[in-house]
Amino acid sequence: MTPTPHIAVLGSANMDLVAYVAKAPQRGETVTGREFRTVPGGKGANQAIAAARAGATVSMIGAVGTDAYGTRLRSTLEHSGVDTDLLRTVETSTGTAHIVVDDDGGNSIVVIPGANGSLTALAPGDEGLIASADALLLQLEVPVDGVLAAARAARRHGVRTVLTPAPAQPLPPELLAATDLLLPNEHEAAALTGITDDPHAAAGALLSQVPEVVITLGSRGSLYAARGAEPVVVPARRVTAVDTTGAGDTFAGTLAVALAEGDSVTEALGWASAAAALSVQRTGASASMPYRSEIDGEAEGTS
């Protein structure tokens, strides 16, 4: 029996304030929405919940404020099976994400970092937690200095680091040097490389900086590339998207679990694709993330 992997996550915890509309407003335009929800989210918390629901033991390093949003985020993580012993509470507001979701399932997002901005360095206990993990998941909704400190700690202890470079921004060479697997979507890959119309070429360019890359391509699937190996493309499942918020985080958390369990790249990408396909058929970010039994069923074509 495969041992249960331990996944560490350093990243953001936000309350998502989600407005559902027929068509997103243009600049200067006001539209009437049909529904509003508050949903626990943030790329770090989302990836932690996705990995926990996919069957891993998960620990979250992050920060929330002293407000009701912080209390609810901590409770949501704990109820999802995520260890929050190193989730800090700081004297400020919890981060928020203001999200507009249209009838095509597309979204636009404004993030207010709040407490997430305090993650500029590791705190006592953080490095020990990272050292005990099989993989470390990172994103860029917290200060890059904190992300770099965590990646360097993982490298010191031989822990695989998976970095989702979102929101897209220039990455310090030191961070790329401490990254094992870079996981951008096609827009982030284009922003990092300047190559806008060829994901294979973008992946090739990124391999000069990191040993492995997975570029998610939305409805076209995902592309894996590694130094000295032939690229692998795994198609996406055909589903009707209701809300794509959190799909990339679902993919990332599930992929990390599959790889930590020893699945081949093709198997892991297929399993992560099944999880993402389930998530986009539901509303919300963390609320849409599937459990392992659901992912197995979708991957086997029985759901």
Side-chain angles (χ1 to χ4, degrees), residues 90-168:
V90 297
E91 294 292 331
T92 187
S93 59
T94 299
T96 54
H98 304 255
I99 305 172
V100 175
V101 179
D102 63 33
D103 278 352
D104 292 327
N107 61 67
S108 56
I109 305 173
V110 176
V111 174
I112 310 297
N116 296 304
S118 68
L119 290 174
T120 57
L122 297 183
D126 290 352
E127 181 158 350
L129 172 63
I130 292 169
S132 71
D134 297 296
L136 171 67
L137 289 172
L138 299 168
Q139 327 77 34
L140 300 177
E141 286 184 344
V142 299
V144 171
D145 286 348
V147 176
L148 176 58
R152 283 174 164 167
R155 181 55 52 89
R156 283 193 291 273
H157 297 283
V159 175
R160 187 179 199 173
T161 299
V162 180
L163 171 63
T164 301

Side-chain angles (χ1 to χ4, degrees), residues 14-16 18 20 37-42 45-47 49-50 53 72-73 76 80 243 245-247 250 275 278-291 294:
N14 296 324
M15 187 60 70
D16 292 347
V18 189
Y20 294 92
R37 295 183 183 179
T38 57
V39 183
N46 287 344
Q47 292 186 7
I49 291 170
R53 290 186 177 180
R72 185 176 169 194
L73 278 161
T76 298
S80 297
D243 182 358
T245 308
T250 301
L278 288 167
S279 76
V280 301
Q281 297 176 74
R282 308 166 180 174
T283 58
S286 61
S288 72
M289 292 173 173
Y291 291 88
E294 298 177 287

Side-chain angles (χ1 to χ4, degrees), residues 257-297:
V257 174
L259 292 173
E261 289 181 347
D263 286 1
S264 70
V265 168
T266 301
E267 291 171 333
L269 291 174
W271 204 59
S273 178
L278 288 167
S279 76
V280 301
Q281 297 176 74
R282 308 166 180 174
T283 58
S286 61
S288 72
M289 292 173 173
Y291 291 88
R292 187 181 187 101
S293 59
E294 298 177 287
I295 303 169
D296 286 342

